[in-house]
Amino acid sequence: MNKNSLYLVGAIAAGFIYNRGHEFSFLIKHLLMIMLFFPLLKASVPRDAAVYSHAMKLCLVMAGTSIAAYWLIKNLDGELATIAFLLIATPTATAAPMVIRLLNKSVTYVITAVVTTNLLAALSLPFILDFIHPGERNINPGNMLLATMTVVGVPLVLAQLIRAYRIQLANKLTKINKLPFLIWLLVIYLATAKASDYLYSHHVPSLMLGKIALISLLTCGFNFLIGHYVGGVNYAVEGSQSLGQKNTMFMSWIALEYVSPLAVLGPVCYLVFQNLYNSVLLSRNKHPKPVG
């Protein structure tokens, strides 16, 4: 296990051991915006029309399979069905282009997937979650749409404005590597602390925790596999990463704000599994191991 992976495990462990940080979980939304801002500074409009076609396929598959998973599982366990839906509907991680760069594949493809899937999630989740949980507290489609579009839209617009009118500043900001990583670790800690506080106060059975870990593992494998086929011969690896490597911190915020603290365990478990997979993938390619 490399150093960055140890930091990941440390942040999760800290959240369970010292969960007083749950009092500051409201900061996740604002920290997430900062996290999105830095990679979006590097996003540019792709010139290859095929990339747009594949991006649309990724969005359609992500939407269709997430809803299908919910309807297949809901009669067995409604809470697990919602978690499965969230884990498949989670947009592409902002760290996915870094993994693709190390694998010497098309970075443009994955950056396009980051932008399109995050926008899709921001626009569609408010209405789908309201349909899945009608009448649930905190779920107001209008308010949620404003919140999700603020989280995704503000850093996207700000990043593109700086790229267009302050290119020197953009170049300097793209060289800042440690700050986004530290913020990422902080968000992991806060999300885990919130979930930990919920577990201690509600005495959640260990069987339920095992089910959440299992559904996270299954959806992780499914996402990477289905993405491979969506990418086809030319973009198999890119498609796999685009659907498999998820923006788990975005979905952690969604879970905390609009579902339940217990649902946060889904993205936390998924985060571990996707990093294990990518570590093995990159080690086989004899490249450094990143954290996504």
Side-chain angles (χ1 to χ4, degrees), residues 4-253:
N4 286 344
S5 297
L6 287 175
Y7 288 142
L8 161 66
V9 174
I12 294 174
F16 280 109
I17 296 171
Y18 186 75
N19 63 10
R20 291 293 297 275
H22 77 273
E23 299 173 0
F24 300 96
S25 61
F26 66 91
L27 293 174
I28 290 177
K29 172 182 176 181
H30 309 287
L31 294 171
L32 182 59
M33 293 171 69
I34 300 173
M35 285 176 57
L36 285 169
F37 169 75
F38 283 96
L40 289 174
L41 271 174
K42 303 175 184 178
S44 57
V45 178
R47 299 178 180 178
D48 187 357
V51 172
Y52 290 105
S53 174
H54 276 271
M56 292 305 298
K57 288 180 183 178
L58 290 171
C59 289
L60 289 172
V61 169
M62 189 177 81
T65 53
S66 60
I67 294 172
Y70 173 80
W71 286 108
L72 286 172
I73 304 173
K74 71 166 190 164
N75 290 330
L76 299 174
D77 191 313
E79 195 150 28
L80 280 180
T82 301
I83 292 173
F85 164 78
L86 292 175
L87 293 177
I88 299 176
T90 303
T92 307
T94 55
M98 178 179 68
V99 175
I100 286 298
R101 184 176 290 109
L102 293 174
L103 293 172
N104 296 316
K105 298 295 181 178
S106 174
V107 175
T108 301
Y109 181 105
V110 182
I111 288 178
T112 305
V114 170
V115 175
T116 54
T117 58
N118 275 273
L119 284 174
L120 173 68
L123 288 168
S124 62
L125 282 175
F127 303 101
I128 298 176
L129 279 178
D130 182 56
F131 179 74
I132 291 175
H133 292 289
E136 285 282 316
R137 64 177 182 86
N138 292 333
I139 299 184
N140 179 298
N143 292 339
M144 187 179 174
L145 178 62
L146 178 61
T148 53
M149 284 307 298
T150 299
V151 168
V152 176
V154 169
L156 175 61
V157 172
L158 181 60
Q160 295 310 299
L161 286 174
I162 292 177
R163 275 177 55 90
Y165 299 104
R166 292 290 185 271
I167 188 63
Q168 291 184 343
L169 176 60
N171 291 335
K172 290 180 181 179
L173 290 173
T174 54
K175 295 178 182 178
I176 300 176
N177 296 317
K178 290 185 178 180
L179 180 60
F181 180 69
L182 292 175
I183 293 174
W184 182 76
L185 290 177
L186 177 58
V187 172
I188 292 173
Y189 165 73
L190 292 175
T192 308
K194 185 67 176 180
S196 173
D197 178 70
Y198 180 87
L199 292 178
Y200 289 139
S201 59
H202 289 76
H203 306 290
V204 178
S206 57
L207 179 60
M208 184 61 182
L209 302 183
K211 289 180 179 179
I212 292 175
L214 178 61
I215 204 71
S216 301
L217 176 61
L218 292 175
T219 53
C220 183
F222 171 80
N223 287 330
F224 277 107
L225 181 62
I226 197 69
H228 179 89
Y229 289 106
V230 173
V233 176
N234 296 325
Y235 296 109
V237 176
E238 292 90 337
S240 181
Q241 286 295 320
S242 295
L243 283 185
Q245 192 174 355
K246 297 292 193 179
N247 188 351
T248 53
M249 294 303 98
F250 175 82
M251 199 52 71
S252 294
W253 168 65

